[in-house]
């Protein structure tokens, strides 16, 4: 099976052309196998582009390295956009992917340098849309008891669930300890991604992320979008923000039409053949 290894700011994926390649029936089990860092290709997740119905150029499917399927993935969408153009799945700079979270539109800004802008749609803020067992119309700066400590959290769905909390020094924060505790908290029936955000100024955020089904990853596109929404809702930033990650940054804008736009790079690392 032919594959590409790609990453968006260090968040890495195995990407497969499902229009051409024959795939195993158990895609969750296959994702666990091929994403294994020592026994497989190694990645945070498996992305498959396959035929879609309607207006979409392709169906975007993503499986985490634990075998669970995610609704969508911001970094993965940028990688998939570059991959789709290279593979001839699309021949234009703007197109639509079908995801479990709905239709998403990437735009290729600069193919030579693999810069992609994605219309991520409007954030969903009702607790039942996250989903989360909170009351009220929005959860903004609400207390969440995690063992013996209370964290102020803001909840956002970008088609997948996010719990955002602001910390003073994100670099030294115990993400690996607190992340899984919030991910599996009883308040989140479908678990949640967790963003730990340091406010640099009113136009800049610094982020670390604990991803549902993956653990800490080097970047998360939908998480950067959720963090921006959370910062704006809390009155910390303007509507256009630079989100700093370990290996670069994403430009996130909450536009006047209510949609979130994410702009950033995607990188092709290698292409090869996986022996099934």
């Amino acid at each position: 099976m032919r594959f590409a290894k790609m990453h968006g700011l260090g968040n890495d994926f195995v990407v497969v052309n499902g229009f051409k390649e024959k795939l195993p029936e158990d895609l969750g089990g296959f994702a666990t196998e091929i994403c294994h860092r020592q026994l497989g290709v190694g990645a945070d997740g498996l992305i498959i582009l396959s035929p879609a119905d309607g207006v979409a150029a392709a169906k975007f499917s993503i499986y985490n390295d634990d075998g669970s399927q995610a609704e969508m993935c911001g970094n993965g969408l940028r990688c998939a956009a570059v991959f789709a153009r290279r593979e001839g799945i699309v021949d234009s700079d703007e197109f639509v992917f079908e995801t479990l979270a709905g239709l998403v539109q990437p735009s290729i800004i600069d193919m030579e340098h693999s810069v992609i802008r994605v219309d991520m749609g409007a954030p969903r803020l009702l607790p039942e849309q996250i989903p989360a067992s909170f009351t009220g119309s929005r959860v903004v700066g609400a207390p969440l008891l995690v063992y013996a400590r209370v964290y102020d959290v803001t909840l956002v769905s970008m088609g997948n669930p996010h719990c955002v909390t602001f910390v003073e020094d994100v670099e030294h924060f115990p993400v690996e300890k607190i992340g899984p505790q919030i991910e599996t908290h009883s308040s989140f029936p479908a678990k949640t991604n967790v963003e730990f955000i340091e406010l640099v100024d009113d136009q800049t955020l610094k982020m670390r992320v604990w991803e549902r089904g993956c653990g800490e990853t080097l970047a998360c596109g939908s998480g950067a979008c959720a963090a921006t929404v959370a910062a704006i809702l809390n009155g910390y930033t303007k509507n256009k923000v630079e989100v700093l990650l370990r290996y670069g940054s994403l430009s996130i804008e909450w536009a006047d039409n209510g949609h979130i736009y994410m702009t950033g790079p995607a990188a092709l690392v290698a292409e090869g053949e996986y022996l099934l």
Side-chain angles (χ1 to χ4, degrees), residues 44-198:
D44 293 323
L46 167 68
I47 293 171
I48 300 165
L49 293 185
S50 57
D53 298 326
V55 298
K59 180 180 179 181
F60 171 94
S61 301
I62 180 164
Y63 293 82
N64 297 314
D65 64 3
D66 70 349
S68 60
Q69 187 172 13
E71 297 87 351
M72 56 87 71
C73 170
N75 288 322
L77 284 165
R78 296 199 315 279
C79 290
V82 172
F83 181 81
R85 186 66 179 273
R86 287 176 56 89
E87 291 284 303
I89 296 172
V90 299
D91 58 7
S92 62
D93 289 340
E94 293 188 0
F95 43 90
V96 173
F97 285 146
E98 174 191 329
T99 78
L100 289 180
L103 298 178
V104 178
Q105 182 177 327
S107 300
I108 297 174
I109 304 301
D110 183 346
M111 186 63 183
E112 181 180 357
H113 298 98
S114 298
V115 178
I116 310 298
R117 184 175 189 250
V118 183
D119 179 350
M120 298 287 284
R124 303 164 194 176
L125 303 173
L126 296 176
E128 58 267 27
Q129 294 174 326
I130 305 300
S133 56
F134 284 74
T135 58
S137 60
R138 293 181 176 182
V139 181
V140 179
L144 179 71
L145 180 62
V146 182
Y147 290 94
R149 181 170 174 179
V150 174
Y151 293 89
D152 290 336
V153 300
T154 299
L155 306 185
V156 180
S157 172
M158 293 303 307
N160 54 353
H162 295 273
C163 176
V164 182
T165 188
F166 293 88
V167 301
E168 289 187 2
D169 182 2
V170 73
E171 192 65 35
H172 296 98
F173 190 85
V175 169
E176 67 287 345
K177 177 182 178 182
I178 307 303
Q181 294 176 359
I182 297 179
E183 176 198 3
T184 59
H185 195 279
S186 59
S187 295
F188 305 107
K191 300 184 180 180
T192 187
N193 300 286
V194 190
E195 285 75 37
F196 300 91
I197 306 300
E198 179 182 333

Side-chain angles (χ1 to χ4, degrees), residues 4-52:
K5 175 70 182 289
M6 304 187 72
H7 77 85
L9 298 174
N11 190 194
D12 60 340
F13 310 95
V14 173
V15 190
V16 177
N17 185 344
F19 289 80
K20 295 180 179 179
E21 304 298 332
K22 182 174 175 59
L23 295 159
E25 290 187 10
D26 180 9
L27 292 176
F30 178 58
T32 299
E33 175 187 305
I34 199 169
C35 291
H36 196 286
R37 295 289 179 184
Q38 289 76 36
L39 305 180
V41 175
D44 293 323
L46 167 68
I47 293 171
I48 300 165
L49 293 185
S50 57

